C-alpha cells in the first residue's frame, strides 16, 4: 500500500474511533468482565489481573470457525509471538515457534498440555468444537513449572466441560470444498512454447560455445544443433516432424497442428469435498456435570487420493462425590486415517507437475497418438519407459507417473488413539486441597505403503508392500498439594507437587516384493522379503516442584516457582536440573492517584525472570535421541548372514541440559472506558550449552556423530497486542485488533574450532554475532554480456601482494562462499483483523503478515536448469541472456552448462507477505423463528480459511517454511470454504 493510502486509512480510522468514543455508553459491565476473566495457566487457573508473566488465550469464539484437521494450523496471526508453518496435507502437524528459536539442534517445539496433562500426540485427534480455550505460556514465570519440557513455551488446550444446569445440545454441521491456496510458479504450458524454448537452449549454447578459442562446432549451424536437440525429445505433439517445427529464423511452424496434449495439473489437483459434523451434549445438576461429544470429519485434499478422515468420541465428567471430594475425568477415543500425497524423488506430484514438460502425455498412446485402453475400457498410463508412440520414452522421470500412482498406490497412516485423564480432589481442611491426576495416552498406529504391479518403479519388482506398526503409551502421575490463605489484605496460594512422566514406544516394519494378487493389501500377498526391522525406546522425566502466589490488596502481585527435573536422556551424573521462575506485577489503576481517572481504566506493570532446560535432542533424520549419553550401533548383514556392528552415534556422558534463561517485562493498559486495550512485552531469551554435533577427527570419515554442548544464543524482542472498539451500541459493534512481534536472534558463543570460520549448516552459517538463519552463499556478480556466462565473486590471496583480493570468476567451483548478512528471520510478524456485528449478522476477518526477512527460492532456481533433461522452465526464461538480449538480468540457460544456476545470492528473495487467514459471515436467526423449529438457537454461516496471499513472487509461499527455503516436494497450502449450520436445543 502506498504511503498516502496508509495516511488516509489511518485518518479515517481515527475519525471513526472519535465518533465511536463520543457515544455515551456505560462500560461498567465490560470492565468488570475484563477484571474477572480467568485464564488457564500451569496446574490451574488465575484471574487475568493476577498474572505476572506473558499468557495469551484463545476462547471458543476465536477458534470455532477454523477449518483445519489440526486446530493449530489455523491460529496464524491470532497470537503475538507465535509463528505457524503448515503443510497443505489435511491433518498434518504444523511447526510452532514461540518467541523465536529455542535451539540449533535440539527441538524448538513447545509443550502441549491437554486438560492439565502433557500430551504427546497430534492435535489432529481433537476437533475445534471440543475445545474451550487455548492458552499460550511464553515466559518463565508462566511455564517454568513444566521444567525441562516448557523451555520452548507451553500450549495449554482445555476441552469443554459441563457448566449450567439442565440439558443442552449443540450441533455444528458444515460442508465445503478444499482447493489449492496459491497458484504454482509460472512455467510453460504449451508444447509450442516448450519446443521453442528447448530449441533455443541448444542454439544459444552452441553460439556461446563458439565464442571460446579453439571451439569445435557441434553441428552444421546453431539452428541445426537446436533441431537435433528437439529430435532427442522423441515425443512430438505436432503433425509435422521435428525438423520442420522451427524455421531458420526461429519462428514456430504456423501449419503445425497439435495432435495431443494432457494436462498433468488438472488431473492431479482437483477441488476436494470437506464434510464435518460435531454434536456436543451437556447434562448438569448440582452433583454431576458432564460434556459428551461425537465428531466426524472427512477432509479431502485437493491432491487426488489425499485426505484425512476422523471419528471421535469424548466424555468429560465432573462429579461432586461429597462436599470435600470431587472426581474429574476426561475420556476420549479417536480413529483417524490419513492418506498422504507428499513423497520424495521424481514421483512427488508437486515437483512432477511443476517440472514435467507439457508435451509429455499422461496416458499411453499408440503410434497414431490415440489413447490406449485395457480390456476393461480403462485408459493406460505412460511411464516414459519407451512404450510410448513409436517407441518414445522420456529423458525425465522415467518409470514415474503420479496420476497413475496416486490412484493405484497407497500411502496411508491409520491411528487409534485413546486419551484418559482422571483427577481426584480432596479438601483436607478449608483452604488445603490434595489433588491426584493420572493421564494415559495410548496410540496404536499402522503405516501402509503399497506400490502397484501395473506401472512405475514398483512394477519392475512385481509390486511392493511395506507395513509398519507402532504402539506408544504415555503414563503421567501428578500429586498436588495446594494451600490458600487470606490474612487481611494478604492473599497466599502455595502449591507443592510431584510429577512422573513415562513414555514407551515399540515399532515394527517390513517390506516385501512380488505380489501375487494385484490389488490385495495383505502382507501375505507378497513373496519376497526385502526388509524387516523393529525398534523401541523408553523415556522418563520426573519432577518435584513448588509455586507461591501472593498478592496484597489486589494491587501488588508476586509469584515464585521452582522445579527439579531428572531426565533419562542424560547420564546419571548430569541427569538432574533445577529450573525456576520469578514474577511481579503492579495494578497501578487501583492506586489512589488513578482511582478517579476517567481515561485510564486499567494499568498493570509486570516483570518476570526464570530458567528452564531442554532435553529434546534431535538426530540428523529429525527423530528424537532418547539415548544421548549412550553409543548407538547399527547391525548390518555383512554377507552370508554374518552380523556386523557399526557405530552410528558416539555417546557423551558429559552432555548436559540446554539452559534457557528468560526475561519478560511489560504493561497492560485499557483506556477510554475499556475501548482501547494495549498489551506490550519486552523479552530476552538466553540459551546456553546448546547441543550440536562436535567436530571429529578425519579418521571418522563421517561414519558416526557425537553431540556436545557447544555454544550460546540469545533472542531479544518486543511484542504487542492492541484492540479497539470503534463502535459500541445495542445493535452495532465494530472491533479492530492487531499484534506484532519483533525479535533478533544472535549466536554469542561457538566452539574454539569454529570461532573464526563459523559453522556451516546447509545454506546457512553460524557465527558469533550472527543469527541462526544467516545465508551463506556464493555471491552473484552479474552476467558476461558477450556470451551470457554467470559470474561470481572470488576472494583469494594475491601471490604478489600477499593480500586478499576480491575478483570475478566464471568458474562456479572457484567462487567463494560468503556470509551474506541476510537472514531468513523476519523483522516483524503478526496479524490483524476486524469484527462487525449488526443485529444478528456478524462478519469476522483475520489476516497474518511477515515483513523484513529473506527467503531462498530453490524451486525458482531449479526452473533455470542447464541440462538435457526435458523438464520444464520458468516463463522468466525470457529474461535470460540470448544473443538478441545481451543485457538480460538473468544468465544464459543452455543444455550443458550445469553451473549456470548454481546456488547463489541471485535466488534470494524478500519473504514479506500478507495472508487473508479466515473470513466468517454468520447470521443468528431470531429466537422466535428458532423456537418454532423446536430449537433454542440457529446460526447459519459461511466461513473460509487461508483465502489469499500477497507475496513477492507467484508460486513462492513464505508461510510454508520456517527457514525461508522453498521446498519442491511440500504439499502446497490449501484453502477451504464451507457453509455451516449451528443448532442448539
Amino acid at each position: 500500500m502506498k504511503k498516502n493510502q496508509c495516511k488516509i486509512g489511518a485518518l479515517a480510522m481515527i475519525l471513526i474511533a472519535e465518533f465511536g468514543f463520543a457515544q455515551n455508553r456505560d462500560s461498567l459491565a465490560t470492565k468488570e468482565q475484563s477484571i474477572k476473566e480467568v485464564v488457564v495457566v500451569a496446574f490451574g487457573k488465575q484471574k487475568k489481573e493476577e498474572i505476572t508473566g506473558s499468557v495469551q488465550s484463545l476462547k471458543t469464539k476465536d477458534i470455532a470457525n477454523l477449518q483445519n484437521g489440526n486446530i493449530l494450523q489455523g491460529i496464524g496471526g491470532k497470537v503475538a509471538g507465535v509463528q505457524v508453518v503448515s503443510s497443505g496435507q489435511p491433518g498434518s502437524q504444523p511447526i510452532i515457534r514461540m518467541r523465536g528459536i529455542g535451539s540449533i539442534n535440539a527441538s524448538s517445539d513447545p509443550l502441549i498440555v491437554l486438560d492439565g496433562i502433557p500430551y504427546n500426540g497430534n492435535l489432529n485427534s481433537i476437533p475445534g468444537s471440543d475445545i474451550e480455550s487455548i492458552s499460550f505460556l511464553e515466559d518463565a514465570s508462566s511455564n517454568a513449572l513444566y521444567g525441562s519440557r516448557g523451555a520452548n513455551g507451553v500450549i495449554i488446550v482445555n476441552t469443554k466441560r459441563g457448566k449450567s444446569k439442565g440439558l443442552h445440545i449443540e450441533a455444528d454441521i458444515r460442508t465445503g470444498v478444499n482447493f489449492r491456496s496459491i497458484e504454482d510458479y509460472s512455467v510453460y504450458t504449451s508444447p509450442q512454447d516448450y519446443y521453442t524454448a528447448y530449441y533455443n537452449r541448444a542454439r544459444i549454447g552452441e553460439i556461446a560455445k563458439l565464442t571460446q578459442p579453439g571451439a569445435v562446432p557441434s553441428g552444421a549451424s546453431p539452428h541445426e544443433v537446436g533441431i537435433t536437440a528437439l529430435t532427442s525429445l522423441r515425443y512430438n505433439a505436432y503433425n509435422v516432424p521435428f525438423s520442420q517445427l522451427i524455421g531458420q529464423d526461429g519462428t514456430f511452424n504456423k501449419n503445425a497442428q497439435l495432435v495431443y496434449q494432457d494436462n498433468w495439473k488438472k488431473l492431479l489437483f482437483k477441488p476436494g469435498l470437506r464434510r464435518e459434523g460435531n454434536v456436543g451434549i451437556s447434562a448438569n445438576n448440582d452433583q454431576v456435570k458432564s460434556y459428551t461429544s461425537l465428531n466426524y470429519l472427512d477432509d479431502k485434499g485437493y491432491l487426488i487420493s489425499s485426505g484425512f478422515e476422523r471419528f471421535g468420541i469424548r466424555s468429560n465428567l465432573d462429579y461432586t462425590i461429597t462436599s470435600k471430594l470431587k472426581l474429574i475425568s476426561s475420556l476420549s477415543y479417536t480413529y483417524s486415517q490419513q492418506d498422504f500425497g507428499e513423497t520424495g524423488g521424481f514421483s512427488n506430484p508437486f515437483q512432477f507437475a511443476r517440472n514435467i514438460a507439457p508435451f509429455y502425455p499422461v496416458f499411453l498412446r499408440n503410434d497414431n497418438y490415440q489413447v490406449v485402453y485395457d480390456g476393461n475400457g480403462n485408459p493406460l498410463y505412460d511411464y516414459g519407459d519407451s512404450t510410448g508412440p513409436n517407441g518414445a520414452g522420456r529423458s525425465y522421470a522415467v518409470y514415474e507417473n503420479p496420476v497413475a500412482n496416486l490412484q493405484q498406490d497407497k500411502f496411508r497412516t491409520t491411528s487409534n488413539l485413546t486419551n484418559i485423564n482422571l483427577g481426584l480432589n480432596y479438601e483436607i481442611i478449608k483452604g488445603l486441597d490434595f489433588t491426584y491426576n493420572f493421564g494415559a495416552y495410548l496410540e496404536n498406529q499402522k503405516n501402509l505403503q503399497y506400490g502397484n504391479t501395473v506401472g512405475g518403479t514398483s512394477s519392475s519388482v512385481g509390486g511392493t508392500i511395506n507395513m509398519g506398526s507402532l504402539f506408544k503409551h504415555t503414563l503421567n502421575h501428578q500429586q498436588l498439594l495446594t494451600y490458600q490463605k487470606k490474612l487481611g489484605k494478604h492473599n497466599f496460594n502455595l502449591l507443592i507437587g510431584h510429577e512422573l512422566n513415562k513414555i514407551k514406544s515399540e515399532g515394527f516394519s517390513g517390506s516385501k516384493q512380488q505380489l501375487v494378487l494385484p490389488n490385495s493389501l495383505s502382507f501375505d500377498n507378497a513373496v519376497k522379503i526385502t526388509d524387516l526391522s523393529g525398534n523401541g525406546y523408553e523415556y522418563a522425566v520426573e519432577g518435584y516442584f513448588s509455586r507461591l502466589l501472593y498478592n496484597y490488596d489486589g494491587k501488588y502481585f508476586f509469584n515464585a516457582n521452582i522445579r527439579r527435573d531428572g531426565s533419562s536422556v542424560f547420564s546419571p551424573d548430569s541427569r538432574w536440573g533445577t529450573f525456576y521462575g520469578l514474577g511481579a506485577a503492579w495494578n497501578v489503576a487501583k492506586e489512589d492517584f488513578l482511582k478517579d481517572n476517567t481515561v485510564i481504566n486499567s494499568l498493570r506493570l509486570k516483570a518476570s525472570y526464570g530458567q528452564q532446560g531442554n532435553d529434546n535432542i534431535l538426530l540428523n533424520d529429525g527423530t528424537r535421541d532418547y539415548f544421548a549419553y549412550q553409543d548407538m550401533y547399527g547391525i548390518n548383514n555383512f554377507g552370508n548372514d554374518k552380523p556386523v556392528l557399526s557405530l552410528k552415534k558416539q555417546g557423551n556422558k558429559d552432555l548436559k541440559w540446554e539452559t534457557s534463561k528468560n526475561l519478560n517485562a511489560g504493561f497492560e493498559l485499557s483506556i477510554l472506558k475499556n475501548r482501547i486495550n494495549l498489551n506490550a512485552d519486552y523479552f530476552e531469551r538466553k540459551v546456553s550449552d546448546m547441543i550440536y554435533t562436535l567436530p571429529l577427527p578425519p579418521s571418522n570419515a563421517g561414519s558416526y556423530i557425537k553431540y556436545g554442548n557447544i555454544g550460546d544464543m540469545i533472542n531479544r524482542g518486543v511484542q504487542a497486542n492492541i484492540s479497539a472498539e470503534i463502535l459500541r451500541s445495542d445493535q452495532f459493534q465494530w472491533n479492530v485488533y492487531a499484534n506484532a512481534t519483533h525479535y533478533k536472534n544472535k549466536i554469542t558463543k561457538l566452539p574454539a574450532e569454529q570461532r573464526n570460520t563459523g559453522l556451516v549448516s546447509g545454506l546457512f552459517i553460524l557465527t558469533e554475532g550472527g543469527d541462526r538463519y544467516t545465508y551463506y552463499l556464493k555471491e552473484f556478480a552479474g552476467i558476461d554480456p558477450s556470451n551470457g556466462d554467470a559470474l561470481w565473486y572470488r576472494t583469494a590471496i594475491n601471490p604478489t601482494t600477499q593480500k586478499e583480493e576480491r575478483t570475478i570468476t566464471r568458474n562456479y567451483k572457484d567462487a567463494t562462499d560468503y556470509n551474506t548478512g541476510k537472514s531468513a528471520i523476519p523483522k516483524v510478524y503478526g496479524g490483524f483483523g476486524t469484527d462487525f456485528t449488526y443485529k444478528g449478522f456478524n462478519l469476522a476477518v483475520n489476516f497474518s503478515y511477515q515483513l523484513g526477512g529473506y527467503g531462498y527460492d530453490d524451486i525458482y532456481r531449479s526452473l533455470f536448469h542447464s541440462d538435457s533433461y526435458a523438464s520444464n522452465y520458468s516463463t522468466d526464461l525470457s529474461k535470460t541472456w540470448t544473443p538478441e538480449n545481451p543485457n538480460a538480468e538473468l544468465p544464459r540457460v543452455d543444455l550443458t552448462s550445469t553451473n549456470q544456476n548454481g546456488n547463489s545470492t541471485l535466488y534470494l528473495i524478500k519473504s514479506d507477505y500478507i495472508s487473508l487467514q479466515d473470513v466468517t459471515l454468520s447470521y443468528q436467526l431470531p429466537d422466535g423463528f428458532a423456537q418454532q423449529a423446536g430449537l433454542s438457537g440457529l446460526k447459519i454461516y459461511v466461513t473460509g480459511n487461508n483465502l489469499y496471499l500477497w507475496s513477492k513472487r507467484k508460486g513462492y509461499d513464505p508461510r510454508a517454511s520456517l527457514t525461508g527455503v522453498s521446498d519442491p516436494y511440500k504439499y502446497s497450502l490449501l484453502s477451504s470454504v464451507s457453509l455451516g449450520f449451528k443448532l442448539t436445543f
Side-chain angles (χ1 to χ4, degrees):
M1 185 182 287
K2 297 180 179 178
K3 290 184 177 180
N4 288 338
Q5 291 174 310
C6 291
K7 291 178 180 178
I8 293 171
L11 179 59
M13 292 292 288
I14 292 172
L15 290 175
I16 293 172
E18 289 294 332
F19 170 75
F21 299 150
Q23 297 183 91
N24 185 19
R25 297 284 177 185
D26 186 9
S27 64
L28 289 177
T30 303
K31 182 176 181 180
E32 284 296 313
Q33 184 178 358
S34 176
I35 291 174
K36 294 181 179 180
E37 183 179 348
V38 174
V39 178
V40 178
V41 294
F43 299 101
K45 298 179 180 180
Q46 283 183 269
K47 290 181 181 178
K48 189 175 181 181
E49 66 171 2
E50 298 174 345
I51 294 174
T52 63
S54 179
V55 179
Q56 301 180 73
S57 293
L58 296 176
K59 302 299 184 184
T60 303
K61 65 181 182 63
D62 301 314
I63 58 180
N65 296 318
L66 298 181
Q67 300 186 96
N68 306 93
N70 186 312
I71 196 66
L72 292 181
Q73 286 183 315
I75 65 170
K78 295 182 180 293
V79 184
V82 176
Q83 289 176 284
V84 181
V85 177
S86 297
S87 163
Q89 169 66 48
S92 64
Q93 180 90 325
I95 297 172
I96 304 290
R97 293 292 178 267
M98 297 173 68
R99 289 187 168 182
I101 302 162
S103 178
I104 292 178
N105 198 73
S107 173
S108 292
D109 294 335
L111 170 70
I112 295 176
V113 176
L114 176 63
D115 291 327
I117 302 294
Y119 184 70
N120 294 306
N122 190 325
L123 282 181
N124 66 9
S125 63
I126 305 173
S129 60
D130 273 0
I131 296 176
E132 180 72 26
S133 67
I134 305 177
S135 294
F136 299 83
L137 281 55
E138 298 180 309
D139 75 306
S141 75
S142 301
N143 57 36
L145 270 187
Y146 290 109
S148 59
R149 292 165 297 171
N152 298 306
V154 178
I155 301 175
I156 299 180
V157 180
N158 270 27
T159 57
K160 293 178 179 178
R161 312 195 72 84
K163 290 182 180 179
S164 56
K165 287 186 179 182
L167 178 65
H168 308 275
I169 302 174
E170 183 175 275
D172 192 349
I173 303 168
R174 65 180 77 172
T175 185
V177 63
N178 293 327
F179 51 94
R180 192 165 184 162
S181 175
I182 66 170
E183 291 186 68
D184 204 357
Y185 292 76
S186 180
V187 296
Y188 290 118
T189 56
S190 78
Q192 174 180 330
D193 291 340
Y194 186 88
Y195 286 147
T196 304
Y198 197 82
Y199 159 84
N200 277 318
R201 294 317 99 212
R203 179 184 69 86
I204 291 166
E206 179 71 4
I207 293 172
K209 172 185 172 182
L210 295 177
T211 63
Q212 305 299 319
V216 177
S218 301
S221 68
H223 169 73
E224 291 299 326
V225 171
I227 293 298
T228 301
L230 273 185
T231 304
S232 70
L233 296 177
R234 301 177 67 183
Y235 284 85
N236 187 350
Y238 290 88
N239 63 345
V240 299
F242 279 120
S243 60
Q244 299 176 23
L245 276 183
I246 299 175
Q248 291 278 353
D249 60 355
T251 59
F252 198 83
N253 188 338
K254 295 180 180 179
N255 296 320
Q257 294 181 353
L258 189 66
V259 293
Y260 76 88
Q261 185 182 14
D262 296 333
N263 191 316
W264 289 87
K265 287 187 177 180
K266 284 188 176 180
L267 291 169
L268 283 169
F269 308 124
K270 300 178 180 180
L273 183 65
R274 189 182 199 283
R275 297 178 298 167
E276 185 173 9
N278 306 285
V279 178
I281 304 172
S282 179
N284 313 296
N285 57 36
D286 291 334
Q287 191 172 12
V288 179
K289 294 181 179 179
S290 69
Y291 173 80
T292 303
S293 69
L294 293 170
N295 68 84
Y296 175 76
L297 171 65
D298 184 11
D299 201 9
K300 302 293 186 186
Y302 63 81
L303 171 65
I304 59 172
S305 301
S306 69
F308 177 67
E309 186 176 19
R310 176 186 66 214
F311 168 78
I313 183 170
R314 173 175 298 278
S315 176
N316 291 348
L317 179 69
D318 297 81
Y319 182 37
T320 303
I321 301 173
T322 70
S323 61
K324 289 181 173 291
L325 186 62
K326 296 179 181 178
L327 174 67
I328 299 174
S329 68
S330 298
L331 309 176
S332 67
Y333 165 77
T334 302
Y335 167 84
S336 65
Q337 177 177 294
Q338 194 167 16
D339 290 295
F340 295 94
E342 292 175 293
T343 56
F346 283 115
S347 62
N348 177 273
F350 297 93
Q351 188 269 156
F352 194 100
R354 183 184 303 117
N355 288 339
I356 190 74
F359 65 87
Y360 283 130
V362 175
F363 301 105
L364 185 65
R365 285 176 160 78
N366 59 25
D367 292 347
N368 296 318
Y369 297 98
Q370 302 299 311
V371 176
V372 179
Y373 295 87
D374 64 14
N376 297 319
N378 300 311
L380 299 178
Y381 292 93
D382 190 313
Y383 290 91
D385 53 357
S386 299
T387 58
N390 302 301
R394 296 195 220 115
S395 62
Y396 177 81
V398 183
Y399 302 115
E400 299 296 348
N401 187 315
V403 175
N405 292 345
L406 284 170
Q407 295 178 82
Q408 297 168 353
D409 295 349
K410 302 293 181 185
F411 184 13
R412 172 180 297 165
T413 294
T414 304
S415 297
N416 289 275
L417 307 178
T418 302
N419 198 67
I420 304 170
N421 291 349
L422 299 174
L424 196 64
N425 177 269
Y426 180 69
E427 184 183 37
I428 302 172
I429 60 174
K430 185 176 181 181
L432 181 62
D433 290 357
F434 173 76
T435 302
Y436 172 74
N437 292 324
F438 169 75
Y441 169 81
L442 308 175
E443 177 179 359
N444 190 353
Q445 187 181 102
K446 177 183 176 182
N447 299 303
L448 168 68
Q449 292 188 43
Y450 163 79
N452 73 86
T453 60
V454 178
T457 53
S458 62
S459 66
S460 63
V461 293
T464 62
I465 187 166
N466 178 287
M467 280 192 179
S469 65
L470 172 71
F471 179 75
K472 181 169 71 173
H473 72 262
T474 301
L475 302 178
N476 189 282
H477 302 268
Q478 296 174 357
Q479 299 87 38
L480 311 173
L481 192 63
T482 306
Y483 180 66
Q484 299 183 67
K485 186 66 175 178
K486 183 174 183 179
L487 299 173
K489 294 183 179 181
H490 301 275
N491 298 277
F492 299 89
N493 185 303
L494 178 64
L495 169 70
I496 298 175
H498 168 261
E499 183 179 29
L500 175 63
N501 184 273
K502 288 186 175 182
I503 302 175
K504 185 174 182 179
S505 175
E506 296 178 344
F508 163 84
S509 65
S511 299
K512 298 179 77 173
Q513 296 176 351
Q514 297 179 9
L515 276 64
V516 178
L517 302 175
N519 296 313
S520 173
L521 302 182
S522 170
F523 211 41
D524 286 342
N525 183 41
V527 177
K528 182 179 179 181
I529 298 175
T530 57
D531 180 69
L532 198 60
S533 62
N535 56 65
Y537 64 83
E538 292 186 37
Y539 167 75
V541 60
E542 184 173 17
Y544 300 87
F545 52 89
S546 181
R547 177 182 64 195
L548 171 65
L549 302 177
Y550 166 78
N551 81 76
Y552 175 76
D553 198 23
K555 295 180 183 180
Y556 313 107
F557 300 87
F558 172 78
N559 74 35
N561 55 69
I562 188 169
R563 177 160 176 150
R564 179 95 171 142
D565 259 0
S567 169
S568 62
V569 168
F570 301 108
S571 73
D573 295 335
S574 55
R575 178 159 294 169
W576 290 88
T578 302
F579 315 108
Y580 64 90
L582 301 169
W586 177 23
N587 194 339
V588 184
K590 286 192 175 183
E591 298 292 351
D592 291 340
F593 58 84
L594 282 180
K595 186 173 292 184
D596 298 324
N597 190 292
T598 59
V599 177
I600 298 176
N601 308 115
S602 175
L603 175 60
R604 295 178 68 249
L605 305 180
K606 58 184 180 179
S608 65
Y609 182 79
Q611 175 178 294
Q612 296 160 280
N614 190 356
D615 68 343
N616 195 344
I617 305 165
L618 300 180
L619 296 169
N620 288 339
D621 61 0
T623 59
R624 185 171 178 178
D625 184 0
Y626 291 97
F627 313 98
Y629 69 99
Q630 297 175 310
D631 295 342
M632 291 182 66
Y633 291 87
I635 303 175
N636 302 303
N637 191 333
F638 192 67
N640 296 322
D641 297 328
K642 293 181 178 179
V644 61
L645 293 178
S646 59
L647 183 62
K648 299 297 183 182
K649 187 211 67 181
Q650 189 177 52
N652 184 356
K653 292 185 178 180
D654 296 326
L655 196 69
K656 58 184 179 180
W657 299 86
E658 282 193 354
T659 303
S660 178
K661 297 178 180 179
N662 297 310
L663 170 68
N664 188 84
F667 68 90
E668 300 174 6
L669 174 67
S670 295
I671 61 174
L672 301 175
K673 297 182 179 180
N674 293 296
R675 287 180 179 270
I676 298 180
N677 298 278
L678 173 63
N679 298 339
D681 290 285
Y682 168 80
F683 60 87
E684 283 188 5
R685 184 180 182 188
K686 295 181 180 179
V687 185
S688 57
D689 298 321
M690 286 190 299
I691 297 171
Y692 200 73
T693 51
L694 293 173
L696 295 171
S699 59
N700 170 46
S703 62
Y704 66 88
I705 59 174
K706 182 179 181 179
Y707 291 109
N709 302 98
I710 67 159
D712 302 339
M713 180 174 66
I714 187 170
N715 296 302
R716 287 192 179 97
V718 292
Q719 68 182 47
N721 293 279
I722 187 170
S723 62
E725 286 186 271
I726 304 301
L727 293 173
R728 182 198 297 166
S729 68
D730 293 337
Q731 293 186 337
F732 189 24
Q733 296 88 41
W734 179 19
N735 303 318
V736 296
Y737 57 89
N739 68 72
T741 301
H742 160 76
Y743 80 93
K744 288 187 177 181
N745 173 265
K746 183 179 180 181
I747 297 170
T748 55
K749 180 184 176 183
L750 284 176
E753 297 90 338
Q754 283 92 22
R755 196 155 292 158
N756 294 324
T757 61
L759 189 62
V760 177
S761 175
L763 296 176
F764 307 100
I765 186 168
L766 284 63
T767 59
E768 289 190 358
D771 70 33
R772 173 62 181 90
Y773 292 119
T774 297
Y775 288 101
Y776 186 64
L777 296 163
K778 299 184 189 302
E779 187 173 342
F780 184 68
I783 303 164
D784 184 342
S786 66
N787 62 7
D789 276 352
L791 306 175
W792 296 275
Y793 286 105
R794 178 176 182 266
T795 297
I797 301 295
N798 186 312
T800 303
T801 64
Q802 293 299 308
K803 294 182 178 179
E804 278 193 351
E805 287 188 358
R806 184 175 160 98
T807 58
I808 291 178
T809 179
R810 65 184 71 242
N811 187 334
Y812 181 80
K813 293 182 179 179
D814 288 343
T816 302
D817 290 296
Y818 292 99
N819 183 333
T820 65
K822 294 180 178 179
S823 174
I825 299 174
K827 300 295 184 184
V828 63
Y829 62 89
F832 58 93
T834 187
D835 189 294
F836 300 88
T837 299
Y838 177 69
K839 294 185 177 180
F841 290 95
N842 177 263
L843 174 64
V845 184
N846 182 61
F847 295 84
S848 67
Y849 67 90
Q850 172 179 292
L851 303 170
Y854 283 87
Y856 188 80
D857 200 349
D858 195 53
I859 296 177
Y860 186 69
R861 180 197 65 81
S862 69
L863 294 173
F864 295 96
H865 55 91
S866 287
D867 54 51
S868 58
Y869 288 110
S871 54
N872 217 334
Y873 298 101
S874 166
T875 55
D876 281 352
L877 204 64
S878 61
K879 300 177 182 178
T880 61
W881 183 93
T882 66
E884 299 79 21
N885 184 21
N887 298 315
E889 60 184 88
L890 296 174
R892 182 187 75 252
V893 176
D894 56 39
L895 300 182
T896 57
S897 305
T898 55
N899 285 328
Q900 285 287 90
N901 70 330
N903 287 326
S904 76
T905 56
L906 177 61
Y907 301 104
L908 286 175
I909 183 174
K910 293 288 288 183
S911 60
D912 302 349
Y913 74 82
I914 297 177
S915 172
L916 178 54
Q917 290 291 99
D918 45 85
V919 178
T920 300
L921 176 63
S922 64
Y923 177 61
Q924 183 74 44
L925 273 70
D927 292 343
F929 181 87
Q931 290 169 2
Q932 289 181 1
L935 306 171
S936 60
L938 174 60
K939 179 191 288 187
I940 303 173
Y941 62 91
V942 177
T943 186
N945 300 115
N946 203 19
L947 295 176
Y948 198 78
L949 175 72
W950 292 266
S951 64
K952 185 70 173 180
R953 177 181 291 141
K954 177 185 174 182
Y956 177 68
D957 191 346
R959 303 168 301 176
S961 171
L962 189 68
T963 64
V965 181
S966 57
D967 184 348
Y969 304 110
K970 191 164 187 177
Y971 199 127
S972 179
L973 298 186
L974 60 75
S975 301
S976 301
V977 175
S978 293
L979 172 66
F981 300 87
K982 185 172 291 186
L983 303 85
T984 55
F985 300 86

